[in-house]
Amino acid sequence: MAENKIESNSIDNTPEESPDEESNPIFAHSLSRSEEAKERAKVGAKQDDLDKNKKCKIDPNIVEKGLKSLDNPVLRGSFSLVLDKPTLEFLENIAKMAFKEVIEQELFDVTLTSDYLDTIHLSTDRAKVQNKRSGVYIIKHVETGMCIVGQTTNLKKRFNQYTSRSTNPIFSLTNKINKELYVAVQENLQKNLVFGQFMQRYVAYCWVDKNKKPINVFSLELINQKNYLEHQLILALHECGLCYNTNDVAPQLVESPVLPDPSLIGPAPLGKVSSTSFPLPVVGPKRGKPFKVNNLYFLTGQDYAKYRESLSVSNRKHFLSMPRLRLKLCTNSNDSNNSTRYLSDAEVQEAKNKNLFVKPTCAP
């Protein structure tokens, strides 16, 4: 009954940037967080499971600790005043299943040849869609097990935001990205890895109607449903020491259509940020450079994405998605004879002189 109730009223009335994602503290020793995460998680591996990627699993005792933390009814707090018992129990079951499914997946070392990780829709997500859909998500660092939890009105857009903001070589105080996550991503970018190789995206639950269509109804109850599920997942991961959301353990209860008082959200002390808290930005000749795909030349990834989008479905299959293309470009960066690669400065100038670069409105 609780599930039907959620389906019939599902909404998203939150701003595109979730307060929980903007209110994380900045740690003076962020550089060592990824290493500390492995120790806190007590990661152990059986000899039979070891392979070239050094796969391992998180200690089952750690998993059990996270699950038990969700059994305390006191954690419902004020949500019990705005959500009925069947709905609370339904969301709690979703949280337990999603947490267990994510945390039990093996950790592994990432190399330059590692595959790009596609978004995983957990068994708790019946919709299996992302674009313009409201939901709760988890992003996990596959080497350390550290996770970020959030909610959004558009899952696909939010995942893209994480990619672009965390890989931005110039950190800005106005960049709405979890600071610990940013540091972890920058560390791996310095190893010439791609975001999608070491950050696994999960959809825990998506609020849609019976036809899997997006719902945009202004209902405080449904906002609180999203907040409660997000809160439960953060609590479980925080208990295990595997959560980037270290300042988001207080529930965000919506009692009116007005946004919560910022003082209740607990924003990060941005004024105390030191540039030494973050690793050196990733810079180099390959970032943001023009490239070629077969016989087509592109100045930017945005031009490529627009061109690909203009193609018919059948022709589009011959062109990689932008994340996969970035991975291939990095792989071929030292192969000057490859048909899909970054262009040298001389090639860029020659292509400009010959007007070879594809314009965004070009037809196939």
Side-chain angles (χ1 to χ4, degrees), residues 166-167 185-193 195 282 287:
S166 63
T167 57
V185 172
Q186 289 293 314
E187 287 177 344
N188 272 12
L189 291 182
Q190 291 180 7
K191 302 174 186 176
N192 290 325
L193 298 176
F195 181 91
V282 177
R287 291 187 62 81

Side-chain angles (χ1 to χ4, degrees), residues 180-249:
E180 282 198 285
L181 176 68
Y182 178 84
V183 169
V185 172
Q186 289 293 314
E187 287 177 344
N188 272 12
L189 291 182
Q190 291 180 7
K191 302 174 186 176
N192 290 325
L193 298 176
V194 177
F195 181 91
Q197 288 179 298
F198 56 89
M199 284 294 183
Q200 178 65 67
R201 297 154 293 186
Y202 301 92
V203 177
Y205 192 80
C206 184
W207 276 260
V208 293
D209 62 18
K210 62 182 181 180
N211 296 318
K212 299 185 180 181
K213 299 297 182 180
I215 295 178
N216 188 24
V217 181
F218 294 94
S219 165
L220 295 180
E221 179 179 354
L222 268 297
I223 298 174
N224 281 314
Q225 288 178 10
K226 286 175 54 179
N227 288 344
Y228 187 57
L229 177 56
E230 178 187 34
H231 173 56
Q232 288 280 298
L233 289 169
I234 291 174
L235 279 173
L237 289 165
H238 184 268
E239 185 69 19
C240 299
L242 294 173
C243 194
Y244 287 120
N245 311 67
T246 51
N247 200 39
D248 300 335
V249 293

Side-chain angles (χ1 to χ4, degrees), residues 21-306:
E21 289 181 272
E22 301 174 19
S23 60
N24 297 287
I26 300 177
F27 295 85
H29 304 289
S30 297
L31 285 175
S32 62
R33 293 292 293 181
S34 60
E35 289 80 3
E36 294 173 352
K38 289 186 179 181
E39 180 65 24
R40 288 198 309 271
K42 297 180 181 178
V43 175
K46 295 181 180 180
Q47 188 64 34
D48 293 341
D49 293 332
L50 294 178
D51 58 13
K52 63 179 180 180
N53 289 327
K54 298 182 181 178
K55 291 185 177 180
C56 58
K57 289 187 176 182
I58 291 176
D59 190 331
N61 293 327
I62 297 296
V63 180
E64 189 64 24
K65 183 179 180 181
L67 290 173
K68 285 184 177 180
S69 70
L70 299 179
D71 289 333
N72 188 352
V74 177
L75 298 179
R76 293 180 177 180
S78 299
F79 282 106
S80 59
L81 301 177
V82 293
L83 298 175
D84 59 30
K85 185 176 180 180
T87 300
L88 287 169
E89 291 177 346
F90 172 75
L91 293 172
E92 287 165 358
N93 287 332
I94 292 291
K96 289 179 181 179
M97 293 171 62
F99 165 77
K100 195 169 185 293
E101 195 170 336
V102 168
I103 215 70
E104 287 186 343
Q105 290 198 10
E106 291 180 323
L107 305 180
F108 55 90
D109 290 341
V110 178
T111 67
L112 294 175
T113 58
S114 296
D115 292 333
Y116 188 87
L117 303 172
D118 292 323
T119 300
I120 294 177
H121 293 266
L122 300 175
S123 59
T124 53
D125 175 41
R126 68 195 187 286
K128 311 299 181 187
V129 289
Q130 300 177 52
N131 193 30
K132 298 181 180 179
R133 270 40 171 210
S134 171
V136 172
Y137 59 87
I138 302 172
I139 300 178
K140 184 178 77 171
H141 195 308
V142 298
E143 293 183 312
T144 68
M146 291 291 289
C147 299
I148 185 82
V149 182
Q151 58 171 288
T152 180
T153 59
N154 189 332
L155 288 161
K156 183 177 181 180
K157 182 177 180 181
R158 177 57 55 81
F159 287 146
N160 289 336
Q161 286 175 338
Y162 269 105
T163 303
S164 61
R165 293 175 182 178
S166 63
T167 57
N168 189 334
I170 307 300
F171 178 79
S172 169
L173 298 183
T174 59
N175 190 11
K176 298 176 181 178
I177 185 72
N178 180 283
K179 305 308 181 296
E180 282 198 285
L181 176 68
Y182 178 84
V183 169
V185 172
Q186 289 293 314
E187 287 177 344
N188 272 12
L189 291 182
Q190 291 180 7
K191 302 174 186 176
N192 290 325
L193 298 176
V194 177
F195 181 91
Q197 288 179 298
F198 56 89
M199 284 294 183
Q200 178 65 67
R201 297 154 293 186
Y202 301 92
V203 177
Y205 192 80
C206 184
W207 276 260
V208 293
D209 62 18
K210 62 182 181 180
N211 296 318
K212 299 185 180 181
K213 299 297 182 180
I215 295 178
N216 188 24
V217 181
F218 294 94
S219 165
L220 295 180
E221 179 179 354
L222 268 297
I223 298 174
N224 281 314
Q225 288 178 10
K226 286 175 54 179
N227 288 344
Y228 187 57
L229 177 56
E230 178 187 34
H231 173 56
Q232 288 280 298
L233 289 169
I234 291 174
L235 279 173
L237 289 165
H238 184 268
E239 185 69 19
C240 299
L242 294 173
C243 194
Y244 287 120
N245 311 67
T246 51
N247 200 39
D248 300 335
V249 293
Q252 301 295 325
L253 178 64
V254 178
E255 298 177 337
S256 71
V258 182
L259 290 177
D261 186 336
S263 63
L264 300 178
I265 299 175
L270 297 180
K272 298 181 180 180
V273 177
S274 169
S275 59
T276 59
S277 300
F278 303 96
L280 294 175
V282 177
V283 294
K286 302 183 187 65
R287 291 187 62 81
K289 287 196 64 172
F291 56 91
K292 63 180 295 187
V293 178
N294 296 327
N295 293 321
L296 297 176
Y297 292 75
F298 297 92
L299 272 173
T300 65
Q302 185 178 17
D303 288 348
Y304 173 84
K306 288 182 178 180

